[in-house]
Amino acid sequence: MDLLFEFLTTLKNTVIDVLPILSIILGFQLLVIRKPIPHIKQVGFGFIYVLIGLALFLLGLEKALFPLGKMMAEQLTAPEFIHAGEQVLTSIHWTDYKWVYIFAAAIGFSTTIAEPSLIAVALKAEEVSGGAINANSLRISVAIGVAFGIALGSYRIVVGHPIHYYIIAGYIVVVIQTFYCPKLIVPLAYDSGGVTTSTVTVPLVAALGLGLASTIPGRSPLIDGFGLIAFASLCPIIAVMAYAQLTEAKTHRTHKRLEKRKRIKEEKRNLNRNNEAP
C-alpha cells in the first residue's frame, strides 16, 4: 500500500513537471502553426504511457539504483574488504582501491551500452551517414570513454585531487583533437558526450560518487562526491574522436599500401615489356 501511495505521489509530481512541455508544444501547434495534431488518439495514449513510464522509472531510481550504487561503494571501500581484519584504515593508498576502479569502469561501460539516448543518436548517425558511421562501433567507443572517465573520476575522489585540473586538461585534449579529427565526426563526438549522461548512467554514477566520498576518510560528499558525471561527459568526446582518428589513420595506411602494391605491379609490368622488346 505504501508503494502504491509513493507511485501515485511520483506520478502527480511527474505530471506537474511535464505539463509545461505539453503546454508549449500544444501552444505552438495550435496558435503558431495553426494545424490540428494528427493521430490525436495515438498521441494521447503515448503521452499517458510516457507519464506512467517516467513515474515508474523515477520510483525505481529511488528504490533500487541509488541505494545499489551507494551500497556497492560502501562495500568496495570498507576497511575490512580492503585490508582483511582491519576495522579502521590507518593510511590510504590509491592502489588499495583497485576494485573500485574496476567496478566504476564496468558500470560505466554497461550503463552506456544500455543508454537509450545513445542508442537513438547512434542509429540516426548510421542512417544519416548512409552506413559510413557504424552504430555499434560508435556505442562501443562512447562506452569505453565513459568507462575510462568514471574510473579516472573515482581515482580523483580516492586521492582527493581538485577536479578542475582534470577537466581543464581534458578539454585541452578535446580542442587539440578537434583540429585534427575528421570533420564528419566532430559534431557527433560532442553530442555523444552529452547523451551519455542520461536516464540510466546518471543515477548509478552519482550514487557511486556520493558513496565513495562518504566512505573514504577525509573526503567531503559535497566537494568530492559530485563530478563523476563531468568525466562521463568529457571522456566519450575524446574516445569518439580518437576512434575516428585511428580509423582514418588505418584507412590511410591501407590506401598507401594498396598504392604501393599497385605501383610495384606496374613497374614489374613495364619491366617485362622492356625485356620482351627486341
Side-chain angles (χ1 to χ4, degrees), residues 75-84 86 88-102 154-155 158-159 212 216-217:
Q75 290 176 341
L76 289 170
T77 56
E80 57 269 21
F81 176 77
I82 296 174
H83 297 300
E86 292 187 22
V88 179
L89 287 177
T90 55
S91 62
I92 299 174
H93 194 268
W94 68 271
T95 56
D96 295 333
Y97 294 88
K98 57 182 178 297
W99 285 111
V100 172
Y101 312 138
I102 294 172
S154 300
Y155 166 80
V158 170
V159 297
L212 281 175
I216 295 176

Side-chain angles (χ1 to χ4, degrees), residues 19-39:
L19 275 179
I21 303 173
L22 180 63
S23 61
I24 290 172
I25 294 173
L26 289 177
F28 270 83
Q29 181 71 28
L30 300 177
L31 301 177
V32 179
I33 303 175
R34 295 183 180 179
K35 288 185 178 180
I37 299 175
H39 311 293

Side-chain angles (χ1 to χ4, degrees), residues 174-247:
V174 168
V175 171
I176 294 172
Q177 280 184 301
T178 302
F179 287 101
Y180 297 99
C181 186
K183 302 307 176 188
L184 172 71
I185 208 71
V186 171
L188 182 60
Y190 280 86
D191 280 350
S192 299
V195 297
T196 54
T197 51
S198 189
T199 51
V200 177
T201 309
V202 169
L204 272 173
V205 171
L208 176 63
L210 290 171
L212 281 175
S214 300
T215 53
I216 295 176
R219 302 294 173 260
S220 166
L222 186 60
I223 297 175
D224 301 304
F226 295 96
L228 276 183
I229 297 170
F231 286 90
S233 299
L234 170 62
C235 290
I237 304 175
I238 299 174
V240 171
M241 287 199 285
Y243 169 73
Q245 289 172 299
L246 291 173
T247 302

Side-chain angles (χ1 to χ4, degrees), residues 38-118:
H39 311 293
I40 183 66
K41 186 181 293 187
Q42 182 179 350
V43 172
F45 277 114
F47 184 72
I48 293 171
Y49 294 154
V50 167
L51 291 176
I52 296 173
L54 281 174
L56 288 171
F57 177 74
L58 292 172
L59 188 62
L61 291 183
E62 190 66 31
K63 294 294 183 182
L65 288 185
F66 276 119
L68 182 63
K70 186 176 181 181
M71 179 190 69
M72 290 301 298
E74 290 174 350
Q75 290 176 341
L76 289 170
T77 56
E80 57 269 21
F81 176 77
I82 296 174
H83 297 300
E86 292 187 22
Q87 297 300 316
V88 179
L89 287 177
T90 55
S91 62
I92 299 174
H93 194 268
W94 68 271
T95 56
D96 295 333
Y97 294 88
K98 57 182 178 297
W99 285 111
V100 172
Y101 312 138
I102 294 172
F103 174 75
I107 205 68
F109 186 91
S110 58
T111 54
T112 304
I113 286 293
E115 188 63 63
S117 304
L118 178 62

